[in-house]
Amino acid sequence: MSTSDIASIMENSKEVDRLRKEQEDVLTEINKLHKKLQTNPEVVEKPGDMSLSKLKNLYTQAKELAETEMRVSNVLLTQLDALLPPGPPRKRLGNEQKKKQKKNDSDISRVSPSMRNQHDNPASLKGEQVAARVTTEESDKDEYIVVKVIHYDREAREFEVLDEEPGEDEEGGGQRKYKLPVSHIIPFPKRNDPSTATDFPPGRAVLAVYPSTTALYKATVVNPNRKRKTDDYLLEFDDDESEDGSMPKRTVPFYNVVALPEGHRQ
């Protein structure tokens, strides 16, 4: 291993660190701008306001930084592979694993940049309402409710959330707290930021808050003429038959509708 090889590896390592820190700074600015738009959404209507343009530039910058980090990381991996002694062959993905990986990649690509930011930066959800699965893996059905995020533990990758709806079965009818893993939390689209919303087409199965409740159930999108992301959804909820056997169509705001989790049990 030559001195120039070591120097090149160290230089690329420093560059990866620099790129990550710069991405963190950009994400901080994005979160600040999101908070500003949530608090004062009318600001975008003022003449000369550049909030949306600035937000777009920040996302473009974040994307470019992420792509640059990937390129430098790949160079660094190639350098390290060339210097490390040969080991056992790496396990290759089988066809089924490849298909699953491609499916996951395509699912991620359909999520809006703002929503991906919420998934990638769980701490940004503090104080927000989210959909939470409060049942265990052993349960026959998945129960999702609306909760408020109180705290995120980075080391345990665990959320502490509050069910703000007083429970009838709780002593004194008080509010209930849960500690849940990241996989049990689904961020809602922000009502003042349509860019965080996914546009679900007619026929798509989704998870949505049933009107006048804080519980989420599986439903199907039925409105054919939804033109904007901020338009309400018209949904048919599973197991919601009327006495005459028909399926009522219920109106649900876009910010109470999320993608149906894979393997959802109801």
Side-chain angles (χ1 to χ4, degrees), residues 134 145 147 159-163 170 176-180:
V134 294
I145 62 173
V147 298
F159 284 98
E160 183 177 0
V161 299
L162 174 68
D163 179 4
E170 295 295 315
R176 183 174 181 181
K177 291 183 180 180
Y178 296 89
K179 287 189 176 181
L180 302 171

Side-chain angles (χ1 to χ4, degrees), residues 28-68:
T28 299
E29 291 301 313
I30 288 174
N31 288 333
K32 286 181 181 177
L33 195 49
H34 278 174
K35 188 169 291 186
K36 172 187 172 183
L37 293 174
Q38 289 169 32
T39 306
N40 301 299
E42 68 279 359
V43 73
V44 298
E45 299 177 2
K46 294 181 179 179
D49 181 75
M50 302 294 291
S51 297
L52 295 181
S53 177
K54 183 179 179 181
L55 188 61
K56 179 182 178 181
N57 290 336
L58 285 170
Y59 274 119
T60 301
Q61 187 179 354
K63 179 176 179 289
E64 291 173 352
L65 286 168
E67 290 173 346
T68 304

Side-chain angles (χ1 to χ4, degrees), residues 185-226:
I185 300 296
I186 305 176
F188 282 121
K190 297 182 182 297
R191 67 179 70 194
N192 295 326
D193 184 4
S195 67
T196 61
T198 303
D199 196 9
F200 299 110
R204 177 65 59 84
V206 295
L207 197 66
V209 179
Y210 191 85
S212 301
T213 76
T214 57
L216 291 91
Y217 300 96
K218 182 181 177 183
T220 302
V221 178
V222 295
N223 49 329
N225 298 317
R226 190 170 174 274

Side-chain angles (χ1 to χ4, degrees), residues 111-230:
V111 178
S112 68
S114 298
M115 190 64 82
R116 279 203 297 273
N117 176 50
Q118 293 182 71
H119 282 292
D120 297 339
N121 185 20
S124 68
L125 292 173
K126 184 177 179 179
E128 300 283 343
Q129 284 192 329
V130 297
R133 194 179 91 200
V134 294
T135 46
T136 63
E137 301 294 342
E138 293 74 25
S139 302
D140 294 332
K141 297 181 180 180
D142 293 334
E143 180 185 351
Y144 280 84
I145 62 173
V146 178
V147 298
K148 181 178 180 180
V149 175
I150 302 174
H151 176 69
Y152 175 67
D153 186 331
R154 291 181 181 275
E155 292 186 4
R157 287 187 58 78
E158 187 176 70
F159 284 98
E160 183 177 0
V161 299
L162 174 68
D163 179 4
E164 298 178 281
E165 188 76 12
E168 295 179 359
D169 57 344
E170 295 295 315
E171 185 176 348
Q175 298 171 329
R176 183 174 181 181
K177 291 183 180 180
Y178 296 89
K179 287 189 176 181
L180 302 171
V182 172
S183 59
H184 283 213
I185 300 296
I186 305 176
F188 282 121
K190 297 182 182 297
R191 67 179 70 194
N192 295 326
D193 184 4
S195 67
T196 61
T198 303
D199 196 9
F200 299 110
R204 177 65 59 84
V206 295
L207 197 66
V209 179
Y210 191 85
S212 301
T213 76
T214 57
L216 291 91
Y217 300 96
K218 182 181 177 183
T220 302
V221 178
V222 295
N223 49 329
N225 298 317
R226 190 170 174 274
K227 297 178 180 179
R228 299 174 300 175
K229 283 189 174 183
T230 52

